[in-house]
Amino acid sequence: MQLSGNRFVIIGRAGMDFYPDPPGTKTEHATQFFACLGGSSANIGVAICKLGGAADLVTCVSDDAIGRFATNELARYGIGAQHVRPVGGEARNSLAVVETTIEDHQSVIYRNGAADFEMTQADVEAVDYSRYNALITTGTVFAAEPSRSAAFKGFELARAAGLPLIFDVDYRPYSWPSAEVAADVYSRAGAMCDVIVGNDTEFGFMAGDYDKGLEKARQLVAEGAKIAVYKMGEKGAITITPEGEFQTGIFRTEALKPTGAGDSFMGGFVSGLAEGLPVREAVLQGSAAAAMVVARVGCAPAMPTRQELSDFLTSHAGPTAA
């Protein structure tokens, strides 16, 4: 599967990430932090833009200084924010306090009254989907109303415009009212999509049995999806297409932290599809981008440029399995 171009509309959240500084500092011992753009959808947009593509975000942010920080950061990275709507009242932007550590890593996420869950059907109806080559969303948008209904409406409108739907499962239990609701909604969303990317735990969750995640990924392709990428951490990934499946390894790197890999993978992967790479090469490009981000401080700032990614792929012989 290839995409007709490199312009994406992304439905999802933008927030703020706080990192204890200097790197390696535990949060409870920190006296200073640095801030950068956060939120999985925003991070994917950064990854795409830094690799030479274009991305517009559809979401809501809080009508306060933190929301303005997020929209300013989107602009700095070149992400279109014409469909980012500020909301007042008690809505607040998501905030993540994330350590640059591997051992005993701590990420504390604040999602109470999350502004991005205020996205409505009117927000997605305002988008001209004909301007894009694919729609990307992450699973968090489905966790609460009115965002859930809005995201499904966005799927319908994008599908009607002929856009492929790309879904990063991105299961965050703390956002959902129950595991049962999440499993049902994720299965509905996955069944609508052309490309589904998730890890073994997330596919297992969708299947209702953690031992049947790979079976679920295969089922989604059998029922109409073009690609399912079943990620297995250090064991690499199994990619399933209607033509068959293949396994790839990971690129070894000196990781500073475990976060950001999934967003970077998605950015590198879809950019590869947009560039016309074969699916295997697109997966490897995503894997290389993921390896680069975990070895750097931050998530959005750590996303590689096109030249950096090319240099990395040239200097690394290839991925290895665990």
Side-chain angles (χ1 to χ4, degrees), residues 20-272:
D21 193 49
T25 304
K26 302 300 292 180
T27 302
E28 55 264 42
H29 300 141
T31 58
Q32 59 187 20
F33 297 79
F34 78 90
C36 57
L37 181 66
S40 54
S41 294
N43 287 337
I44 292 168
V46 171
I48 289 168
C49 290
K50 291 182 78 169
L51 291 175
D56 291 345
L57 190 65
V58 184
T59 192
C60 290
V61 296
S62 52
D63 188 11
D64 57 23
I66 308 302
R68 289 189 289 276
F69 170 89
T71 53
N72 288 342
E73 287 288 285
L74 292 172
R76 189 165 70 84
Y77 286 110
I79 299 171
Q82 63 266 38
H83 297 296
V84 176
R85 178 171 61 89
V87 293
E90 295 301 311
R92 292 291 181 267
N93 255 56
S94 60
L95 171 67
V97 182
V98 186
E99 294 176 349
T100 307
T101 61
I102 291 292
E103 187 176 352
D104 190 29
H105 174 85
Q106 299 177 113
S107 293
V108 181
I109 315 294
Y110 294 88
R111 293 280 292 158
N112 302 58
D116 52 283
F117 285 149
E118 298 301 313
M119 180 180 66
T120 67
Q121 293 195 34
D123 292 313
V124 300
E125 288 170 347
V127 177
D128 179 2
Y129 294 91
S130 68
R131 299 176 58 234
Y132 303 98
N133 305 112
L135 179 147
I136 301 172
T137 196
T138 60
T140 307
V141 300
F142 294 106
E145 295 288 5
S147 177
R148 181 186 305 161
S149 294
F152 276 118
K153 182 65 175 180
F155 273 20
E156 294 170 8
L157 294 170
R159 173 70 72 206
L163 270 62
L165 305 182
I166 301 171
F167 180 41
D168 188 334
V169 179
D170 191 35
Y171 176 51
R172 312 289 180 104
Y174 53 77
S175 293
W176 288 84
S178 73
E180 291 75 20
V181 170
D184 175 66
V185 173
Y186 274 136
S187 292
R188 285 170 52 203
M192 298 176 69
C193 291
D194 299 282
V195 179
I196 305 101
V197 177
N199 61 36
D200 43 7
T201 300
E202 290 168 334
F203 276 110
F205 178 78
M206 291 173 68
D209 183 336
Y210 287 112
D211 294 326
K212 296 182 178 178
L214 184 56
E215 182 180 318
K216 178 66 174 182
R218 289 169 173 154
Q219 177 190 343
L220 287 165
V221 172
E223 293 176 353
K226 302 295 191 297
I227 303 172
V229 183
Y230 178 85
K231 298 186 293 185
M232 303 177 293
E234 291 192 352
K235 295 181 180 179
I238 297 173
T239 302
I240 302 125
T241 72
E243 292 72 42
E245 60 185 67
F246 58 85
Q247 185 165 353
T248 50
I250 64 169
F251 290 87
R252 295 294 173 184
T253 190
E254 291 295 323
L256 296 177
K257 65 185 194 312
T259 54
D263 301 337
S264 188
F265 175 90
M266 178 62 88
F269 173 57
V270 299
S271 293

Side-chain angles (χ1 to χ4, degrees), residues 1-3 166 195 227 268-279 282:
M1 174 184 166
Q2 295 179 348
L3 303 178
I166 301 171
V195 179
I227 303 172
F269 173 57
V270 299
S271 293
L273 295 179
E275 294 154 16
L277 295 180
V279 175

